[in-house]
């Protein structure tokens, strides 16, 4: 109960909504104007129709505003989500999509209860950028059939469907639809650069609708929309189909969590003094996705584009995103007959422009120039998004990023020969120390990726009598690193070399002790808090043993500094 209470709205949320209501109301109206064509377009693209997109924007927008963890976030249908939903519609039908949304809501609430929201901060920037580029490419290709005025091929990859649409268009050109889509996209892109605060998307769609109606051009339109939300119902739920939909629901939940938390992070960066609660944000998205399917809406997530408009419009609290949802509900109630006449090609133009604006060329160029690893991760994630699916793309991007990061960390681990301080010894003793003792300083993490390299380096130690391993600069050590350290010590001992450890950190003792070598060395008095004590012990050992002079293969006496 305490966990759930922590995730519920607080009095401070209500107080924030009452602080500057006029500013928030204006921001909410502005977002609604921008969100209307996007909601309709993404609803059509998802396969459930414009009404489903509008219902999602209303229900999910209101619930996520109330229960989410960000004061500035705006939720609803998004292009990234439609990319995941299209294959589900083709395979399971509309009822399967609604069931997936319901199950995804359960997963999101569970993630919130487990406090998993904090982990999104570990997603590398190249993965996020590659993911965004891939989504933009998929959304663009999805709109090609509607922009060309041809029927989209069902059940095929977007690249194949777009190619078939181009072939059909070449056979029977439909210039009116193409001209309308390009005009809307051009107006949006040019207008955004000229006057970013003006809702050119709505103006362009309205102009396209008016031009189509007056000219009588044979262009497909959205069609009739309901004037109200349908009564909530679980009639779509088929319990027998739930096991087969779990994988799809997990993918939808993962995408909703990733996109929502990334959007909230972007909103924090654009504002002053705003910080989101990642676990509450997951909870809010979970509640939204639990309820939205009951009204026929598609799975929802936070939308970076609408959230950015909200922040730029001066939003200060949840009242702005709540106003956005209420405004869309009023439009549905009062203007459904007008919305029904919007051409599908005009909505395609809106989404074409949206896809283009999603790609920030400067960010991509900066990442591509930074390191080859970042460029590789970005390219692989984008390609996997286009060829496979979004969740697989993120998984591939994270896996490659982890492998490359481990490779870099492993290369940072060094085994370095260091000179001994023999200034406080007599000349004969100093010569004896130099001839028979070598000290190695280990730097960096000693873990599985660096362990093999460490073992090979240490096994190449020339013939000496004492090896001092200086451990004070080892950052971390895992089970593999400890096992390899034990093997290296035992190899040296089999060659008659005495091994001392110095500067071992308390946090590293457990891993090494688990191998059994630490207790044995400690019992033999070969573990020291610092290197000078180890050198003193080595001197005593050399004084009490008659060691012959040691030479390397070419006859030169080996020194500790060599």
């Amino acid at each position: 109960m305490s966990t759930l209470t922590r995730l519920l709205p607080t009095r401070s949320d209500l107080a924030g909504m009452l602080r500057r209501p006029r500013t928030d109301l204006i921001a909410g109206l502005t977002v609604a104007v921008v969100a209307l064509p996007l909601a309709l377009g993404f609803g059509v693209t998802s396969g459930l129709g414009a009404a489903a997109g509008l219902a999602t924007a209303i229900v999910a927008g209101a619930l996520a505003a109330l229960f989410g963890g960000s004061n500035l976030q705006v939720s609803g249908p998004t292009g990234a989500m439609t990319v995941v939903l299209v294959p589900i519609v083709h395979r399971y039908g509309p009822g399967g999509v609604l069931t997936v949304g319901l199950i995804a809501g359960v997963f999101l609430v569970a993630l919130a209860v487990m406090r998993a929201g904090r982990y999104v901060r570990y997603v590398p920037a190249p993965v996020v950028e590659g993911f965004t580029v891939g989504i933009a490419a998929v959304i663009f290709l999805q709109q090609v059939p509607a922009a060309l005025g041809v029927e989209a091929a069902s059940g095929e990859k977007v690249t194949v469907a777009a190619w078939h649409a181009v072939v059909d268009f070449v056979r029977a050109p439909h210039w009116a639809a193409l001209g309308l889509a390009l005009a809307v996209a051009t107006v949006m892109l040019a207008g955004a650069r000229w006057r970013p605060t003006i809702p050119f998307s709505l103006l362009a769609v309205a102009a396209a609708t008016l031009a189509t109606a007056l000219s009588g051009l044979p262009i497909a339109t959205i069609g009739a929309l309901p004037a109200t939300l349908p009564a909530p119902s679980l009639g779509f739920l088929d319990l027998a189909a739930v096991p087969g939909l779990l994988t799809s629901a997990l993918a939808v939940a993962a995408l909703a969590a990733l996109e929502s938390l990334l959007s909230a992070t972007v909103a924090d960066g654009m504002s002053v003094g705003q910080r989101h609660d990642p676990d509450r944000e997951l909870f809010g998205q979970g509640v939204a996705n639990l309820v939205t399917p009951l009204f026929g809406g598609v799975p929802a997530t936070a939308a970076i584009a609408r959230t950015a408009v909200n922040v730029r419009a001066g939003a200060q609290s949840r009242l702005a995103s709540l106003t956005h949802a209420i405004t869309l509900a009023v439009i549905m109630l009062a203007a459904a007959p007008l919305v029904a006449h919007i051409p599908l090609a005009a909505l395609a133009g809106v989404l074409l422009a949206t896809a283009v604006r999603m790609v920030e060329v400067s960010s991509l160029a900066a990442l591509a120039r930074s390191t080859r690893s970042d460029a590789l991760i970005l390219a692989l994630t984008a390609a996997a998004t286009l060829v496979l699916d979004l969740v697989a793309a993120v998984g591939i991007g994270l896996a490659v990023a982890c492998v490359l990061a481990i490779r870099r960390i492993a290369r940072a681990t060094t085994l370095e020969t260091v000179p001994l301080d023999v200034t406080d010894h007599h000349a004969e003793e100093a010569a004896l120390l130099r001839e028979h003792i070598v000290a190695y300083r280990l730097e960096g993490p000693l873990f599985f990726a660096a362990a093999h390299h460490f073992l090979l380096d240490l096994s190449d130690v020339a013939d000496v009598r004492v090896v001092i391993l200086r451990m004070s600069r080892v950052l971390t050590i895992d089970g593999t690193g400890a096992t390899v350290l034990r093997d290296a010590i035992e190899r040296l001992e089999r060659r008659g070399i005495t091994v001392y450890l110095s500067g071992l950190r308390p946090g590293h003792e457990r891993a090494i002790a688990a191998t059994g070598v630490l207790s044995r060395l400690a019992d033999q008095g070969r573990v020291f808090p610092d290197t000078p004590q180890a050198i003193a012990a080595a001197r005593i050992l050399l004084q009490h043993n008659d060691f012959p002079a040691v030479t390397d293969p070419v006859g030169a006496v080996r020194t500790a500094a060599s």
Side-chain angles (χ1 to χ4, degrees):
M1 287 301 297
S2 61
T3 301
L4 288 176
T5 301
R6 177 181 56 82
L7 297 172
L8 294 175
T10 63
R11 290 183 178 179
S12 62
D13 297 332
L14 178 60
M17 293 169 65
L18 299 176
R19 192 170 296 123
R20 298 180 63 183
R22 183 174 178 274
T23 302
D24 286 329
L25 289 172
I26 294 174
L29 290 171
T30 304
V31 177
V33 169
V34 174
L36 177 61
L38 292 175
L40 297 172
F42 288 136
V44 171
T45 304
S46 71
L48 268 70
L54 196 53
T56 305
I58 294 169
V59 178
L63 291 173
L66 292 173
F67 291 96
S70 170
N71 292 327
L72 307 175
Q73 194 96 278
V74 180
S75 298
T78 64
M81 190 63 75
T82 61
V83 173
V84 177
L85 298 181
V86 169
I88 299 175
V89 174
H90 290 152
R91 186 171 180 182
Y92 299 102
V97 172
L98 301 181
T99 304
V100 163
L102 190 70
I103 302 172
V106 175
F107 285 151
L108 288 167
V109 171
L111 288 174
V113 172
M114 292 186 294
R115 308 189 71 172
R118 72 193 80 174
Y119 297 110
V120 76
R121 72 188 67 172
Y122 300 117
V123 179
V127 175
V128 176
E129 291 293 341
F131 173 77
T132 304
V133 171
I135 289 173
V138 172
I139 293 172
F140 191 94
L141 292 173
Q142 282 179 338
Q143 307 315 309
V144 169
L148 298 178
V150 301
E151 188 75 21
S154 61
E156 294 185 342
K157 290 287 187 180
V158 290
T159 50
V160 177
W163 172 251
H164 287 167
V166 172
V167 172
D168 292 342
F169 178 81
V170 171
R171 290 173 182 168
H174 198 293
W175 297 108
L178 178 59
L180 205 63
L182 292 178
V184 171
T186 302
V187 168
M188 282 186 60
L189 294 174
R193 295 178 64 88
W194 178 51
R195 289 287 189 274
T197 57
I198 298 176
F200 282 100
S201 59
L202 186 64
L203 296 177
V205 168
T209 303
L210 183 61
T212 303
L214 293 177
S215 63
L217 292 172
I219 299 177
T221 60
I222 289 177
L225 288 178
T228 60
L229 291 173
S233 170
L234 278 172
F236 62 86
L237 185 60
D238 180 5
L239 295 178
V242 168
L245 293 170
L246 288 177
T247 303
S248 299
L250 184 61
V252 168
L255 177 60
L258 180 65
E259 190 170 12
S260 296
L261 293 175
L262 289 176
S263 176
T265 303
V266 171
D268 289 347
M270 294 176 63
S271 61
V272 178
Q274 294 282 358
R275 289 294 178 270
H276 73 282
D277 183 329
D279 297 320
R280 278 193 63 188
E281 183 59 31
L282 290 179
F283 182 75
Q285 297 298 330
V287 171
N289 281 285
L290 277 170
V291 178
T292 300
L294 306 182
F295 294 91
V298 299
T301 179
I304 295 178
R306 277 163 274 182
T307 299
V309 171
N310 194 38
V311 176
R312 292 192 186 106
Q316 299 294 317
S317 75
R318 301 162 188 268
L319 181 59
S321 49
L322 187 60
T323 301
H324 137 270
I326 294 173
T327 303
L328 292 178
V330 172
I331 292 173
M332 187 179 198
L333 178 65
L338 296 176
V339 173
H341 295 290
I342 295 177
L344 292 177
L347 291 182
V350 171
L351 299 184
L352 288 173
T354 301
V356 172
R357 292 175 62 183
M358 286 176 66
V359 180
E360 295 186 9
V361 178
S362 58
S363 298
L364 296 180
L367 282 174
R369 288 194 303 264
S370 58
T371 65
R372 285 182 294 179
S373 297
D374 287 342
L376 175 64
I377 295 168
L378 191 154
L380 281 177
T381 306
T385 303
L386 189 59
V387 176
L388 302 174
D389 60 70
L390 301 186
V391 177
V394 172
I396 290 171
L398 287 175
V400 173
C402 288
V403 170
L404 294 176
I406 290 170
R407 180 169 171 263
R408 286 194 297 269
I409 294 172
R411 287 184 171 184
T413 304
T414 60
L415 182 68
E416 177 186 5
T417 309
V418 294
L420 298 175
D421 183 7
V422 293
T423 56
D424 59 342
H425 299 282
H426 297 297
E428 294 181 359
E429 291 179 338
L432 184 66
L433 291 175
R434 291 192 182 99
E435 290 175 1
H436 295 289
I437 299 175
V438 63
Y440 283 96
R441 179 171 59 220
L442 281 71
E443 291 195 32
L446 183 57
F447 70 134
F448 67 94
H452 181 67
H453 175 68
F454 162 77
L455 179 61
L456 292 178
D457 282 354
L458 199 55
S459 298
D460 288 338
V461 174
D463 289 333
V464 294
R465 298 307 178 200
V466 178
V467 168
I468 300 174
L469 297 180
R470 301 177 61 177
M471 307 288 291
S472 61
R473 296 190 184 182
V474 175
L475 300 178
T476 184
I477 183 168
D478 67 356
T480 304
T483 301
V484 169
L485 179 65
R486 178 202 63 193
D487 293 344
I489 292 172
E490 291 178 350
R491 286 191 186 189
L492 294 172
E493 289 176 335
R494 284 195 294 269
R495 290 164 52 190
I497 299 173
T498 302
V499 180
Y500 292 152
L501 296 182
S502 71
L504 187 64
R505 295 184 180 184
H508 302 160
E509 291 178 352
R510 180 176 179 181
I512 301 176
T515 66
V517 70
L518 184 62
S519 58
R520 179 171 63 81
L521 293 181
D523 292 342
Q524 296 173 0
R526 290 196 271 154
V527 180
F528 300 93
D530 53 53
T531 303
Q533 292 187 43
I535 294 175
R539 184 181 63 168
I540 294 173
L541 177 68
L542 293 176
Q543 287 175 341
H544 290 79
N545 291 274
D546 186 18
F547 290 135
V550 179
T551 60
D552 63 14
V554 295
V557 176
R558 175 178 174 82
T559 68
S562 64

